[in-house]
Amino acid sequence: MKEINSSDWRHSVMPAVFTWLKESKSGALEIDLDTTQKYAADVLKIHGKGGSRMGGLVGSGTLGENSYLSTEERLNLLKALSNVAKQYHVPLISGAAAETKEELAKIVEGLATVGVDTVMVMPPKTKAFPSDDEMYDYYELAELTARNAGITIMPYNNPDAAGYHAISTNLLQRISVLPHVTALKISTIDVSIIETLMLENKDLKVLAGVDSVTVHAGLAGASGGITGVGVIFPKASITMQEHVLKGEWAEANKISQALNSLSYLDAQPLLMEYLKLAMGIHHNDIAGGLRTYGIKLTQQQIDNVQARYNLAKERLEILDLL
């Protein structure tokens, strides 16, 4: 049976927190920093049944309205979340993507100035598919920039998401050994990618990025994960990861099945809108959960999220994991 290495945040689950919005005096939406900080702290306070807590804090990611924020808004948000991360002694993680490696380097430098410890680096945002050598140069400069800034990077492979180029397993292996690459984030329901990587390097640290495959990713060799559903039900998410790290697969799978109705939403194109609404329902604040810069949900979609949330809550209550 494996022992949990609590000193290494890569052997844990980390919440990808939502960016909460409020109406300004003009009626436009703006970031509610106080509420965003409060909910982030609330999640980091929670313990799993085995006594562990979340190992890091992910801010301004896909679930954090990232693609809708200006650079200034994003840096202010991350500066606020950095204070929360420091309070709970966990690393702050955020993402970066650009069309060119030079543009990416500037983003990495900027994130380092506001307290980000690890940058999830997505593939280039180009229409043409870059060659492996071009992709390697892109990640190599990001790693060097991070190293000079005193932080690390986490190459982020998201082959299931539209708009991001898939990183081949051969390239992932090449960039994984750069000095300041701390882990790889693999966001896909095809966990054979993780298994292939681990067969080549058993010491590699891989974080799963899709809630519905947490247990399967652990079986394939992932040491941790980044969760959206865990922001809503943190005790369940942490406890599931505790079981995964101990190799207690049957117990982990019970929790995975209990979360299934919500975890399904994490792999959908409107994952931010769906899961943010579920978080609002969880806190008796449906209106707040519907405040987003993203897509406005239909009543049918709202009802579907409500039903999925209710089912997960009922199942988790039976397991004493609310």
Side-chain angles (χ1 to χ4, degrees), residues 14-18 56-61 81 91-94 120 185 226:
M14 287 151 277
V17 295
F18 305 101
L57 179 64
V58 181
S60 187
L81 288 174
L92 177 63
I93 301 159
S94 193
M120 297 185 296
K185 181 183 177 185
I226 294 176

Side-chain angles (χ1 to χ4, degrees), residues 23-24 32 42 47 51 85 91-92 122 141 146 153 155 171 196 224-225 228 230 271 284 305-306:
E23 291 184 15
S24 65
D32 186 338
D42 285 347
H47 290 78
L92 177 63
M122 301 174 211
L141 182 58
I153 69 165
L171 181 57
T196 300
L271 72 160
N284 297 311
V305 172
Q306 177 78 67

Side-chain angles (χ1 to χ4, degrees), residues 2-14 47-48 50-56 88-91 205 223-224 238 241-242 245-246:
K2 299 176 185 176
E3 293 295 323
I4 297 176
N5 181 358
S6 59
S7 65
D8 188 344
W9 59 268
R10 298 169 298 176
H11 289 266
S12 68
V13 63
M14 287 151 277
H47 290 78
S52 63
R53 296 194 303 190
M54 296 284 186
Y88 289 90
H89 308 289
V90 298
K205 296 296 183 292
S223 59
I238 298 167
Q241 183 65 17
E242 289 173 340
L245 291 176
K246 291 178 181 178

Side-chain angles (χ1 to χ4, degrees), residues 162-175:
Y164 292 105
H165 304 305
I167 311 173
S168 69
T169 52
N170 286 339
L171 181 57
L172 285 168
Q173 289 162 5
R174 284 179 65 194
I175 60 181

Side-chain angles (χ1 to χ4, degrees), residues 83-262:
N83 293 330
V84 178
K86 288 175 182 175
Q87 181 182 354
Y88 289 90
H89 308 289
V90 298
L92 177 63
I93 301 159
S94 193
E99 290 190 15
T100 68
K101 61 185 181 181
E102 292 81 10
E103 181 187 355
L104 176 66
K106 291 180 181 178
I107 295 173
V108 172
E109 288 175 346
L111 293 178
T113 65
V114 292
V116 172
D117 299 289
T118 296
V119 181
M120 297 185 296
V121 180
M122 301 174 211
K125 295 194 300 183
T126 54
K127 290 182 179 179
F129 200 101
S131 68
D132 270 11
D133 286 341
E134 290 171 329
M135 193 94 85
Y136 182 84
D137 290 345
Y138 176 87
Y139 280 98
E140 185 180 43
L141 182 58
E143 185 275 337
L144 177 61
T145 304
R147 197 190 325 167
N148 290 337
I151 62 175
T152 60
I153 69 165
M154 185 191 308
Y156 181 4
N157 194 30
N158 195 344
D160 296 339
Y164 292 105
H165 304 305
I167 311 173
S168 69
T169 52
N170 286 339
L171 181 57
L172 285 168
Q173 289 162 5
R174 284 179 65 194
I175 60 181
S176 70
V177 297
L178 290 168
H180 277 231
V181 170
T182 190
L184 301 177
K185 181 183 177 185
I186 307 296
S187 292
T188 176
I189 58 175
D190 180 8
V191 295
S192 67
I193 294 173
I194 298 174
E195 185 174 71
T196 300
L197 290 167
M198 297 305 299
L199 284 170
E200 291 296 323
N201 181 1
K202 64 180 177 59
D203 296 322
L204 185 63
K205 296 296 183 292
V206 174
L207 301 182
V210 181
D211 279 304
S212 59
V213 298
T214 297
V215 178
H216 307 86
L219 276 165
S223 59
I226 294 176
T227 177
V229 171
V231 180
I232 305 165
F233 292 117
K235 183 177 180 181
S237 187
I238 298 167
T239 304
M240 179 166 59
Q241 183 65 17
E242 289 173 340
H243 288 309
V244 166
L245 291 176
K246 291 178 181 178
E248 297 169 350
W249 305 112
E251 294 303 311
N253 203 44
K254 287 179 185 177
I255 303 173
S256 179
Q257 291 173 345
L259 288 168
N260 176 273
S261 60
L262 272 188

